[in-house]
Amino acid sequence: MAAIPGQEEQEIEEDASELKFPKEFEQAETLLNSEVRMLLEHRKQQNESQEEEQELSEVFMKTLNYTERFSRFKNRETIADIRGLLQKYQLHKFELASLANLCPENAEEAKALIPSLEGRFEDEQLQEILDNIQTKRSFQY
C-alpha cells in the first residue's frame, strides 16, 4: 500500500501491558481456556455421533489436550460465575481472560503476569478478586 506524500500512517504499537491491541481485536471477544475446552469437546462429540466420523486434525487434538490440561473451571455454571464476578470490576477483556486462565495466587503474582493491573487496583482489592476466584474454583463439582 503506497503512502500518500506528506501523510504518515499512524501505527499503534502493540503492548498488552498497556492494553494496546491491533484494530482487529477491538471487537473480538476473549474466551477462557475452559470455554474453548467446552467448545472443542462439543465439536468432538458431534463428530463421534455422526455416521461417518471424520478424523480430527492434529491441531484440533493438540488444542483440546492443551485446554484440558490448563482449564481451571469444570462446568458452565462456574465459568459463568467467574465471568460475572470479574465483569463487576471493569476489567479489560484481556485482563479478565488472563486472570481467569492464570488464576494467580496473590496480587503480586497477578501484577507480574498481567502488568496492566499495576496502578489500577490496590493490592487488597486485587487480592479480594483472586480470593473470590479461588473460592468459586474450590466449590465447583
Side-chain angles (χ1 to χ4, degrees):
M1 184 166 151
I4 299 172
Q7 285 186 334
E8 292 180 23
E9 191 174 313
Q10 261 189 336
E11 282 191 39
I12 297 174
E13 189 172 328
E14 298 172 31
D15 188 351
S17 69
E18 296 180 16
L19 301 175
K20 292 181 181 176
F21 298 96
K23 278 188 248 180
E24 301 87 48
F25 292 101
E26 287 176 6
Q27 300 302 316
E29 287 302 318
T30 55
L31 292 174
L32 310 186
N33 289 338
S34 300
E35 292 169 318
V36 174
R37 177 185 51 83
M38 293 182 86
L39 290 169
L40 294 177
E41 284 176 348
H42 179 71
R43 176 65 186 102
K44 185 179 175 192
Q45 288 171 355
Q46 280 182 323
N47 185 51
E48 290 169 352
S49 67
Q50 292 178 351
E51 282 187 29
E52 276 191 47
E53 189 175 330
Q54 297 177 2
E55 186 175 343
L56 297 169
S57 73
E58 182 180 353
V59 171
F60 180 96
M61 293 308 297
K62 283 184 176 183
T63 305
L64 179 58
N65 290 337
Y66 176 89
T67 58
E68 286 172 343
R69 182 172 181 198
F70 294 106
S71 289
R72 304 292 187 187
F73 313 107
K74 297 177 180 148
N75 58 62
R76 289 178 192 211
E77 295 78 20
T78 304
I79 293 168
D81 287 349
I82 294 295
R83 272 200 175 275
L85 168 74
L86 293 176
Q87 286 172 340
K88 292 178 189 175
Y89 295 100
Q90 298 178 340
L91 292 160
H92 185 276
K93 56 190 169 186
F94 168 78
E95 294 169 327
L96 186 151
S98 296
L99 280 173
N101 286 334
L102 299 170
C103 289
E105 292 183 16
N106 57 54
E108 182 181 346
E109 182 182 6
K111 289 178 180 181
L113 293 170
I114 311 163
S116 61
L117 296 172
E118 188 72 50
R120 294 191 52 221
F121 294 92
E122 295 296 323
D123 283 355
E124 296 77 24
Q125 185 183 22
L126 191 50
Q127 189 61 54
E128 181 183 322
I129 295 169
L130 300 175
D131 290 345
N132 287 335
I133 292 171
Q134 190 57 42
T135 299
K136 291 197 180 295
R137 259 185 90 190
S138 65
F139 285 114
Q140 62 185 333
Y141 55 89

